[in-house]
Amino acid sequence: MNDSRRHRTAAATCLAVTGALLAAGCGGEASGSAAETSSLKGAPVKVMVWNPEDTQGSAQPGVRLTAQAYEKWINAHGGVKGGPLKVLTCNEKNDPDEAEKCAQQAVADKVVAVVGSYSLAGDRYMPILQKAGIPYIGGTGVSAAEFSNPLSFPVNGGTPVVFAAHGRQLVQDGCKKISGVRYDLAAAAIVSQFLTLGAVSAGGAPPKDLKVPVTATDLAPQVAAATKGSDCVSVILGTHSDLFVKSYVQSGAKTKLGSVVGNLTPQLAASTGGSGSPLEGAAITGYFPPTSDPAWKDFLAATKGDKDIDVSNGANETTWVAFKVLTEAIGKLPSISAKTLVQELNTTSGIDTGGLTPALNWQTSTALPIKGLNRIHNTTATELTIRNGQIEWAKPGSTFVDVRKVLTAVPAG
């Protein structure tokens, strides 16, 4: 990979498509019940969340629902500096024009931040927020602008970090010959580059890169090609990973499977045998601890009984973490405004997310020194597995792994 630098720079323009592999007009205002907010005497803190809903594309209704669950939960626990958190929502419909309208509405409503949102149209909404001085906290990492705009404050490292960590995890799990199965798209090729970077950094061979036509529904040929001569297959097909697994089961193959969070899911494991599923033992690389970890106890309590919120969905988890960052940062402000919040985020020595991430900061000294990715500060990932049909830590005592050195290493030659 002598041209790694070129690939890494190109990655910044391709994250909009590859980010979708990790996930799975403006709406009205949302607020806690009167009983929950009546005792909160401070000024309301207005923020906005946007996400695509009622669309043929990658709908993410859980992002809005998670934000509203956080709003209700925090207001029931004292609010934000004694005032109620007020979440405004906007449906960007997977439409860049609508995303731009959402940003314009955020400016008009004078929100202090846009938090935990999901949109591919960062090149449209970030300039609007930047001009108004409104921070974008913890977007889901599906837009290149999230990793380059100075008003963006990501809480995870997105595609570059998770795929580099995934390649590393597979090799350390004993995979000597890896096949990576991804869609035949230029952007998805960048995923393959980061997967290779991680695998090679751990002493492994470059994974075999197998492409799937975007219109394919029968993946038997790809299963045959991926499992032949390989001992591990990384399935990188997003919500359509089930097509690969279906053909894999029918083939009778025994090659070990793995992926990043959002591809091989507990739901897919349940539909293919639960604890007896071929996904049992799969190497899963994520951003955060598994939801069985005590760090998620507030999230689980806040969303308990809401079947519409998938707590294992990476976009929903990122939204919760982003709101944790918001309220922790605001708690340190003498006065609450978008300007003071940006100042706090840019200078903090560390935001405590309660173990959901390492302490977060966005100081210049911790930026990833790669053009187009310089707003990535958190370069950690988590090594997980599917055990008894659920995503758990890969090993007892596991914690965050940092791939900063993997991403910044300059290859010889």
Side-chain angles (χ1 to χ4, degrees):
M1 290 185 63
N2 296 337
D3 56 348
S4 291
R5 284 177 171 170
R6 177 173 61 82
H7 286 313
R8 293 175 204 159
T9 301
T13 66
C14 297
L15 293 175
V17 176
T18 59
L21 299 175
L22 307 181
C26 292
E29 298 179 359
S31 61
S33 69
E36 292 164 344
T37 60
S38 61
S39 62
L40 303 176
K41 304 303 182 183
V45 177
K46 284 197 299 185
V47 300
M48 179 172 278
V49 171
W50 55 59
N51 61 301
E53 297 192 52
D54 305 317
T55 174
Q56 292 182 339
S58 179
Q60 292 287 346
V63 167
R64 172 181 57 81
L65 295 171
T66 298
Q68 292 171 330
Y70 188 92
E71 174 194 37
K72 184 176 181 180
W73 178 83
I74 196 70
N75 287 341
H77 289 79
V80 184
K81 287 185 76 72
L85 178 66
K86 191 173 186 180
V87 174
L88 313 183
T89 66
C90 193
N91 181 4
E92 62 90 72
K93 303 178 182 177
N94 273 327
D95 182 332
D97 291 338
E98 294 296 326
E100 187 172 302
K101 290 178 184 177
C102 287
Q104 292 167 343
Q105 188 63 46
V107 174
D109 287 337
K110 298 180 179 180
V111 302
V112 299
V114 175
V115 188
S117 296
Y118 185 107
S119 175
L120 301 175
D123 60 330
R124 298 286 291 275
Y125 64 74
M126 279 308 312
I128 296 171
L129 297 182
Q130 183 179 4
K131 184 177 180 180
I134 297 173
Y136 187 80
I137 303 175
T140 318
V142 293
S143 171
E146 295 178 52
F147 296 130
S148 59
N149 190 284
L151 267 289
S152 177
F153 297 87
V155 298
N156 61 49
T159 300
V161 166
V162 77
F163 279 99
H166 184 51
R168 177 182 179 276
Q169 181 180 357
L170 289 172
V171 172
Q172 292 185 341
D173 277 2
C175 299
K176 299 183 183 302
K177 297 180 179 179
I178 303 168
S179 291
V181 181
R182 49 91 172 180
Y183 278 117
D184 190 7
L185 296 168
I190 300 300
V191 166
S192 178
Q193 297 293 343
F194 284 116
L195 180 69
T196 298
L197 189 65
V200 172
S201 74
K208 183 165 54 176
D209 182 28
L210 297 175
K211 306 169 188 176
V212 176
V214 293
T215 56
T217 55
D218 179 6
L219 302 192
Q222 286 77 21
V223 168
T227 55
K228 183 178 180 180
S230 298
D231 47 21
C232 296
V233 178
S234 179
V235 186
I236 313 167
L237 299 174
T239 55
H240 294 301
S241 296
D242 61 328
L243 296 176
F244 184 91
V245 174
K246 178 181 178 181
S247 294
Y248 173 90
V249 171
Q250 292 173 344
S251 75
K254 301 298 182 184
T255 308
K256 184 176 179 179
L257 300 179
S259 193
V260 299
V261 67
N263 289 262
L264 304 181
T265 64
Q267 293 82 0
L268 187 53
S271 69
T272 54
S275 60
S277 167
L279 304 187
E280 187 73 5
I284 306 295
T285 311
Y287 299 116
F288 310 118
T291 53
S292 60
D293 191 281
W296 288 111
K297 62 181 178 61
D298 291 338
F299 181 40
L300 297 182
T303 58
K304 186 177 181 179
D306 192 335
K307 297 181 180 179
D308 292 325
I309 300 178
D310 177 4
V311 295
S312 69
N313 178 285
N316 300 345
E317 291 179 336
T318 299
T319 296
W320 184 269
V321 174
F323 271 93
K324 287 281 291 183
V325 168
L326 170 79
T327 51
E328 287 294 316
I330 285 180
K332 301 178 182 181
L333 300 181
S335 62
I336 302 172
S337 68
K339 183 177 180 179
T340 58
L341 180 56
V342 169
Q343 290 173 339
E344 175 62 30
L345 292 171
N346 275 329
T347 59
T348 180
S349 59
I351 295 287
D352 181 9
T353 62
L356 296 174
T357 66
L360 298 176
N361 79 80
W362 296 268
Q363 296 182 13
T364 302
S365 60
T366 62
L368 190 64
I370 299 175
K371 184 179 180 180
L373 302 177
N374 56 296
R375 289 306 290 175
I376 295 179
H377 292 256
N378 178 11
T379 52
T380 65
T382 51
E383 295 180 348
L384 312 171
T385 190
I386 295 180
R387 185 179 300 118
N388 296 322
Q390 300 297 319
I391 294 180
E392 301 288 354
W393 285 111
K395 299 175 183 177
S398 293
T399 186
F400 299 97
V401 296
D402 196 336
V403 294
R404 181 177 293 266
K405 290 183 179 179
V406 173
L407 293 170
T408 56
V410 178

